[in-house]
Amino acid sequence: MTPPRLSVDGDRLWGRLMALAGIGALPAGGVDRQALTAGEIEAWRLVIGWGRAIGMTPATDAAGNLFLTLPGTDPAALPLLAGSHLDTQPTGGKFDGAFGVLAALEAAETLHRAGLRLARDLIVVAWMNEEGSRFAPGMMGSAAFAGLRSLGQTRTVADAAGITVGAALDTLHAAFPDIARKPFGFPFAAFVEPHIEQARELQDTGTVIGIVTGIQGKTTFRVRIDGAEGHAGTVPPAARRDALASFARIAARLHDSVGTIDDAVRFTIGRIVAEPNAPSVIPARVVFSVDLRHPGNAVRDAAGLAIEAACRELAPPCTVTVERLVDAPSNDFDPGIGASIAASAQARGLPALPLLSAAGHDARHLAAVGPTAMIFIPCRDGVSHAEHEWAEPSHVTAGADVLLDTLLALGMTP
Amino acid sequence: MTPPRLSVDGDRLWGRLMALAGIGALPAGGVDRQALTAGEIEAWRLVIGWGRAIGMTPATDAAGNLFLTLPGTDPAALPLLAGSHLDTQPTGGKFDGAFGVLAALEAAETLHRAGLRLARDLIVVAWMNEEGSRFAPGMMGSAAFAGLRSLGQTRTVADAAGITVGAALDTLHAAFPDIARKPFGFPFAAFVEPHIEQARELQDTGTVIGIVTGIQGKTTFRVRIDGAEGHAGTVPPAARRDALASFARIAARLHDSVGTIDDAVRFTIGRIVAEPNAPSVIPARVVFSVDLRHPGNAVRDAAGLAIEAACRELAPPCTVTVERLVDAPSNDFDPGIGASIAASAQARGLPALPLLSAAGHDARHLAAVGPTAMIFIPCRDGVSHAEHEWAEPSHVTAGADVLLDTLLALGMTP
């Protein structure tokens, strides 16, 4: 590969990351900017403003994905897509999602300032509701774009306050009445998603660039246990239908069995809501989430069945409903894009490592409809989905440089 | 037992309950008449006026308890005490406390109007600050009377506005400069406290009179588990400190062991709050409540220790703090008084049931220093400490009739 012609402005990129982190900033340094909130709308305004300043055209689609297009020289060439998401967990960090969107924007700005035009349009994208914390499941926008889930179904999902995705989308679109709409599933030459690793393999091996070869399979459930409310001081043991007692049996069994199948399994009950949730009242209802991941599809399939069986076996005397929200097998990313990423890292002298993503990403959905890959950079101690999530400025710059090289390699000729 | 010689005037008693409920009346039908407020002073004036009209002598003590004495024929005989309290919760009802005081006053008035004198003095009592909502903890007046807590200690307790019990007591006493002072802990032949049940056992069994055999012991805890937040897809099993996994282990163990000790145990984890409570984030913190009740003190003590031990044993790799909020032993009421209550109910054809009080009452303190019992009447759906707390007029009358019979049985001869 020829030596890099261009490099991004790391200070500008870092400054924008910090500015974006100010929207929904939390006291301990984190960010709460959940999907389709006023905070995300504010983030759109900021990012659209940066894009417009260099001649990029904003657009959206019916699923609330954001697209900013830097025009290429050949209108007939398929576009390049690059980006990630702007929403965060309720106590998320500054980098998860934001790094991918702003690294892509930084690549576009670097090209623009250098007076260098790709043959292909470069479309910076922010997918709607990657995190899935306000509206479950996550990766809604990319699922709609890729035709993996109907928008009609997605619009009916409600948050804890009863607000539906449909209503929240309408609010988002009303806030940006002047921007165009793109169709779902338009063809693209490649989608590249830069992201923090959210694990510690890069840090532990002293590596700066992760060449992501695929995403580990994931299955999620929403489980609801129905019992009967009662006075804590009066109802005898045999007459109780305590939903939280059933939950404890189920959760203890699953943590002990599924949670320890092997070192590669990731089993998490992240969310629990009990009702009425008063100290002197027997819980009448518990709703909880299950998140199961494993690189081996057969292992994950078997564990999924074990989870359903344990819920049914251990819920009585309460009743239980187990809803499977996501059931995604492990997938492989495009080896050609991976080779471009590897070549860029090598040319820049950045230690690189092929690895599997343990976390799910929008790239999983995009990979179903076009050539797709991801670039990982390290995050401190592998911590993510937490306020103290942190990426080193030099790694942020390195990731954006590798993205820039990759886009140049994929986009200079149609 | 001989047929009842006398019956109370149910209309008069009901009218007085409604008149008293006018002091501190709330829009939705409830009452806010907290301890040692101007409202309680006004309630004292009303009740003292009714007592004086039938020759009763008011007195107080250094803890702000109110005594109204109807003299008996034998000055050497120990007095009978009957009553409850005049203070309410901030959004309390018309019956909690007020029913006990006015039923005792009604018994006195019925005796007086019949020209019937007991051998013993009959002292109607209203204990200071049973509810504990303005000044914590509750049952302050009876604790001082029974020597269970020093008045000096009690006087230093302050309300949310910084007013101490001592200052509020001085205000109360200054409002009634002409009434005598009684000593703490004077001997008595019996204390009988009529009260609404505050549970639904009487209603559910179609019973009108509860023969309260004791107050069930209660121990409560607040437990906090601290782990480490992390991404559900990346952190390997051995590196997790999942607070909800620790909770599940602890709760499953406790439900299985403590929750099934015997038929009499009441073990409830009613409240759980997990943080950050998002489906794809490993829970960093769980706070939960434990409510443990058992009529056997040794059983409850052992179970309390087992709860603390299980939390310490099963929380790792998370850390745990276990805070004991309440630790009140069970007590037995006087079986002789209980027999009188049962005999009265039978003679009057009122369905009666021996039961344990799940809630605490001043009678718990009095039982430490003399023969004590309680009479329960139903309250609608077991609701209390709420504006829509309600007791049927016929049940109010029945409870006062049974109190009258019981006082006759205990007081006619010294």
Side-chain angles (χ1 to χ4, degrees):
Chain A
M1 186 176 179
T2 51
R5 279 159 286 191
L6 291 173
S7 286
V8 302
D9 181 336
D11 291 342
R12 179 173 55 214
L13 172 53
W14 186 261
R16 285 179 174 177
L17 269 168
M18 296 306 112
L20 188 58
I23 303 174
L26 295 174
V31 182
D32 176 8
R33 190 176 59 238
Q34 294 179 66
L36 301 179
T37 56
E40 203 184 27
I41 289 173
E42 197 182 336
W44 272 41
R45 289 197 196 286
L46 189 63
V47 172
I48 288 172
W50 287 327
R52 279 194 163 130
I54 56 169
M56 298 182 85
T57 306
T60 183
D61 62 14
N65 298 309
L66 172 64
F67 305 97
L68 285 163
T69 303
L70 184 73
T73 56
D74 181 353
L78 292 182
L80 295 176
L81 282 170
S84 186
H85 59 95
L86 291 172
D87 67 312
T88 73
Q89 291 283 333
T91 52
K94 297 180 174 78
F95 303 92
D96 178 0
F99 164 62
V101 175
L102 296 184
L105 185 70
E106 180 58 31
E109 179 131 10
T110 303
L111 292 170
H112 170 79
R113 288 183 180 251
L116 190 65
R117 289 185 71 186
L118 299 179
R120 305 183 186 280
D121 286 359
L122 169 57
I123 304 179
V124 173
V125 59
W127 303 108
M128 187 274 283
N129 187 29
E130 195 273 346
E131 295 291 1
S133 48
R134 179 181 178 194
F135 301 108
M139 299 181 237
M140 274 182 176
S142 56
F145 179 87
L148 300 173
R149 178 189 276 226
S150 82
L151 182 65
Q153 189 184 353
T154 292
R155 285 182 61 95
T156 63
V157 173
D159 67 10
I163 300 170
T164 62
V165 169
L169 277 175
D170 294 345
T171 302
L172 172 79
H173 287 137
F176 300 92
D178 60 334
I179 70 176
R181 295 283 178 101
K182 286 185 174 288
F184 289 148
F186 57 80
F188 56 92
F191 171 60
V192 185
E193 181 170 6
H195 208 280
I196 55 170
E197 184 194 4
Q198 304 181 288
R200 44 187 300 155
E201 192 170 347
L202 295 179
Q203 173 179 299
D204 289 352
T205 56
T207 307
V208 176
I209 297 297
I211 306 153
V212 187
T213 57
I215 291 183
Q216 120 177 311
K218 173 174 171 177
T219 304
T220 69
F221 300 91
R222 179 166 48 215
V223 184
R224 171 178 161 154
I225 303 171
D226 282 290
E229 196 168 318
H231 191 297
T234 59
V235 184
R240 291 184 176 220
R241 294 199 299 125
D242 181 329
L244 192 58
S246 295
F247 166 79
R249 280 193 298 276
I250 293 167
R253 159 84 68 87
L254 292 178
H255 278 292
D256 192 44
S257 55
V258 175
T260 59
I261 289 174
D262 58 25
D263 289 348
V265 74
R266 305 290 180 260
F267 174 83
T268 309
I269 298 175
R271 185 162 196 271
I272 176 170
V273 175
E275 294 176 18
N277 216 32
S280 61
V281 182
I282 298 164
R285 179 174 304 146
V286 166
V287 176
F288 67 97
S289 67
V290 176
D291 183 306
L292 168 71
R293 311 190 200 198
H294 197 282
N297 289 329
V299 175
R300 206 194 70 266
D301 286 346
L305 295 174
I307 289 167
E308 291 172 329
C311 290
R312 301 225 161 76
E313 177 195 339
L314 299 172
C318 297
T319 58
V320 67
T321 56
V322 184
E323 190 182 354
R324 201 177 269 242
L325 299 178
V326 169
D327 200 11
S330 296
N331 77 300
D332 295 322
F333 284 145
D334 185 86
I337 307 178
S340 290
I341 294 167
S344 164
Q346 189 176 10
R348 290 185 182 268
L350 297 166
L353 192 71
L355 46 69
L356 200 62
S357 172
H361 295 283
D362 292 303
R364 176 207 294 284
H365 291 159
L366 274 293
V369 289
T372 295
M374 295 188 73
I375 301 165
F376 275 175
I377 61 168
C379 56
R380 190 166 60 202
D381 299 336
V383 172
S384 181
H385 289 191
E387 289 202 58
H388 57 294
E389 173 186 281
W390 184 256
E392 291 302 322
S394 64
H395 296 162
V396 166
T397 303
D401 274 333
V402 170
L403 174 66
L404 173 64
D405 294 346
T406 305
L407 296 173
L408 279 164
L410 299 170
M412 284 302 285
T413 54
Chain B
M1 186 176 178
T2 51
R5 278 158 287 192
L6 291 174
S7 287
V8 302
D9 182 335
D11 290 342
R12 179 172 57 213
L13 172 53
W14 187 260
R16 285 179 174 178
L17 269 168
M18 296 305 112
L20 188 58
I23 303 175
L26 295 172
V31 182
D32 176 9
R33 191 175 59 237
Q34 294 179 67
L36 302 178
T37 56
E40 202 184 28
I41 290 174
E42 195 182 337
W44 272 41
R45 289 197 198 286
L46 189 64
V47 172
I48 289 172
W50 287 327
R52 278 191 162 132
I54 57 169
M56 298 181 87
T57 307
T60 184
D61 63 14
N65 297 310
L66 171 65
F67 304 98
L68 285 163
T69 302
L70 184 74
T73 55
D74 182 352
L78 292 180
L80 295 176
L81 283 171
S84 186
H85 59 96
L86 291 171
D87 68 312
T88 73
Q89 292 280 334
T91 53
K94 298 180 172 80
F95 302 92
D96 178 1
F99 164 63
V101 175
L102 296 184
L105 185 70
E106 180 58 32
E109 178 129 12
T110 302
L111 292 171
H112 170 78
R113 288 183 179 250
L116 189 64
R117 291 185 68 186
L118 300 178
R120 304 183 186 280
D121 286 358
L122 170 57
I123 305 179
V124 174
V125 60
W127 303 108
M128 187 272 284
N129 187 28
E130 194 273 345
E131 297 290 1
S133 47
R134 180 181 177 195
F135 301 108
M139 299 182 239
M140 274 183 175
S142 57
F145 180 88
L148 301 173
R149 176 190 275 227
S150 81
L151 182 64
Q153 188 185 354
T154 292
R155 284 181 63 95
T156 64
V157 174
D159 67 10
I163 301 171
T164 62
V165 169
L169 277 175
D170 295 345
T171 302
L172 173 78
H173 286 138
F176 300 92
D178 58 334
I179 70 175
R181 295 283 179 100
K182 285 186 175 287
F184 290 149
F186 58 80
F188 55 92
F191 171 60
V192 185
E193 181 170 6
H195 207 281
I196 55 170
E197 184 193 3
Q198 304 182 287
R200 46 185 300 156
E201 193 170 346
L202 296 179
Q203 174 179 300
D204 289 351
T205 55
T207 306
V208 176
I209 297 297
I211 306 154
V212 187
T213 57
I215 293 183
Q216 163 171 268
K218 175 176 171 175
T219 303
T220 68
F221 300 91
R222 180 167 45 216
V223 184
R224 173 178 158 155
I225 303 172
D226 282 290
E229 200 167 315
H231 191 296
T234 60
V235 184
R240 292 185 175 219
R241 294 200 298 126
D242 181 330
L244 192 58
S246 295
F247 166 79
R249 280 194 298 276
I250 293 167
R253 160 84 68 86
L254 292 177
H255 277 292
D256 191 44
S257 55
V258 175
T260 59
I261 289 175
D262 59 23
D263 289 348
V265 74
R266 305 290 181 262
F267 173 83
T268 309
I269 298 175
R271 187 162 193 271
I272 177 171
V273 175
E275 293 175 19
N277 216 34
S280 61
V281 184
I282 299 165
R285 179 174 303 146
V286 167
V287 176
F288 67 97
S289 66
V290 176
D291 182 306
L292 169 70
R293 312 190 199 198
H294 197 283
N297 290 327
V299 175
R300 205 193 73 267
D301 286 347
L305 296 175
I307 289 166
E308 291 173 329
C311 290
R312 302 224 160 78
E313 177 194 340
L314 300 173
C318 298
T319 59
V320 67
T321 55
V322 184
E323 190 183 353
R324 202 177 268 243
L325 300 179
V326 169
D327 201 12
S330 293
N331 74 296
D332 293 323
F333 286 144
D334 185 86
I337 307 177
S340 290
I341 295 167
S344 163
Q346 189 175 9
R348 288 183 183 270
L350 297 167
L353 192 70
L355 45 70
L356 265 181
S357 174
H361 295 284
D362 291 304
R364 179 204 290 284
H365 290 160
L366 273 292
V369 289
T372 295
M374 295 188 74
I375 301 165
F376 275 175
I377 61 168
C379 56
R380 192 165 59 202
D381 299 335
V383 172
S384 182
H385 290 191
E387 289 203 56
H388 57 294
E389 173 187 280
W390 184 256
E392 291 302 322
S394 65
H395 295 162
V396 166
T397 303
D401 274 332
V402 170
L403 174 65
L404 173 65
D405 292 346
T406 303
L407 295 173
L408 279 164
L410 299 169
M412 285 302 284
T413 54

